[in-house]
Amino acid sequence: MKEETTDKLRQHARKILLGGTGGLLALSVVTLGASLLSDGPAASDTQADAVVQKLESNLGDARAKLATQHTALLVQLPGVDIERVNRDRASGRSLLLSLTDSSASTRTVKEQQVLLDTRYGFLDHKSRVLTEFVPEWMTATGATKGAGTTYSLADLDIDVSRVQGLNYSYTGVARLDPVRVGPDQNGAATSEFVVFTYSTSHDGTVTSLDAYRVSSNTRDAFAAASKERPSPKPTG
C-alpha cells in the first residue's frame, strides 16, 4: 500500500514536472518563432541564441521549483507500515471469525457474552458487540435454540480507514456462506454479511471493535452484487 501510494505520488509529481517544463518549452518555441518571423533572417541567429539561453534558464528554474514541490509531496505522504497492516488484517479476520462462530455454539447468549468479554479486554459492558451484535447474530442464525447454522468465510475485504499517529483504524466487510443449516432454520439459511470496524495501537493490540449484521434488504443487495463477480478467496 505504501509503495503503491508512493509510486502514484511520484508519477503525479513527474507529470507535473513534465507538464510544467513542456508548457514552458512550447511557450518559448512560439516566442522564438514569432520573433524570427517578424525580424527576418538577418537577426535570426542572434535572436535564436538569446531565446535559447532564456529558455534554458527558465527550464532550470522550473525544474528546481518543481523538484522542491515533489520532495514536499513525498514528505507529506503518511508513513503507512504495510507489514503492520497485514498483521492487523489477520487480527481483524480472527476477531470476525470468533464473533460469527457463535452461530454454531450451544452456549446461551449470556454465556457467549461472558466468553468474549473475558477473552477480549477492549470489550466492556457498553460495547455494541456484546449488547447488540451477539444477541442479534445468535438469534438470526438460530443459535439461541441450540447450535445454529454453521458458516464459512467466503469473502473478506479489510481496508485501512484512518491513520492517526501510531493508531490505525480499519473497516471490513465479510460475506459468510452457510455450510450446515441448523435444525430450526428449515434449510432457509442464506449468506450473511457483516460490517465491522476496529482500531489497533502501535504494537498491533486491538483497542476497539464494533460489528453490524447487515439488514435483510442490504444483504439481498450485497448478495446480488456478489453473484455478478467471481468469488475471490478469503483474504485479509
Side-chain angles (χ1 to χ4, degrees):
M1 180 181 297
K2 178 181 177 182
E3 289 78 2
E4 293 177 358
T5 306
T6 303
D7 289 342
K8 290 179 180 179
L9 187 55
R10 286 174 176 166
Q11 291 172 8
H12 178 65
R14 190 176 297 113
K15 289 178 181 179
I16 294 176
L17 179 63
L18 293 176
T21 54
L24 181 58
L25 176 61
L27 178 61
S28 299
V29 169
V30 171
T31 302
L32 173 60
S35 176
L36 294 179
L37 289 174
S38 62
D39 294 338
S44 62
D45 291 342
T46 301
Q47 292 175 351
D49 289 341
V51 171
V52 168
Q53 290 177 3
K54 180 63 175 178
L55 173 61
E56 291 176 346
S57 176
N58 289 344
L59 285 175
D61 293 341
R63 288 194 180 101
K65 182 177 180 179
L66 291 172
T68 300
Q69 294 176 351
H70 176 254
T71 301
L73 287 173
L74 293 180
V75 170
Q76 295 173 13
L77 182 67
V80 178
D81 184 344
I82 189 62
E83 293 184 0
R84 173 182 166 179
V85 169
N86 290 334
R87 293 194 299 269
D88 287 352
R89 281 175 169 166
S91 298
R93 182 170 59 246
S94 296
L95 288 171
L96 170 73
L97 293 174
S98 294
L99 292 179
T100 57
D101 188 54
S102 61
S103 64
S105 173
T106 57
R107 289 182 291 271
T108 65
V109 171
K110 182 177 179 180
E111 289 171 339
Q112 186 66 26
Q113 289 172 324
V114 171
L115 175 66
L116 293 173
D117 188 36
T118 302
R119 179 180 298 175
Y120 301 115
F122 51 85
L123 298 178
D124 57 28
H125 67 285
K126 296 181 180 180
S127 171
R128 287 191 67 263
V129 169
L130 297 180
T131 61
E132 295 184 33
F133 177 80
V134 171
E136 180 184 354
W137 176 258
M138 294 184 69
T139 298
T141 58
T144 54
K145 299 179 180 180
T149 301
T150 301
Y151 291 89
S152 65
L153 183 60
D155 194 5
L156 177 62
D157 185 16
I158 299 177
D159 292 317
V160 179
S161 58
R162 185 181 183 186
V163 175
Q164 186 174 22
L166 297 177
N167 298 318
Y168 287 23
S169 298
Y170 302 85
T171 298
V173 179
R175 189 186 93 230
L176 300 109
D177 291 343
V179 176
R180 181 185 61 79
V181 178
D184 294 313
Q185 297 299 98
N186 298 320
T190 59
S191 296
E192 290 285 343
F193 291 85
V194 176
V195 177
F196 61 104
T197 61
Y198 64 101
S199 299
T200 63
S201 60
H202 67 282
D203 60 355
T205 300
V206 177
T207 57
S208 67
L209 172 67
D210 208 348
Y212 309 83
R213 175 177 173 265
V214 173
S215 66
S216 58
N217 290 338
T218 306
R219 183 175 67 248
D220 293 342
F222 277 9
S226 296
K227 291 179 181 178
E228 296 177 358
R229 60 185 176 85
S231 298
K233 296 180 179 179
T235 61

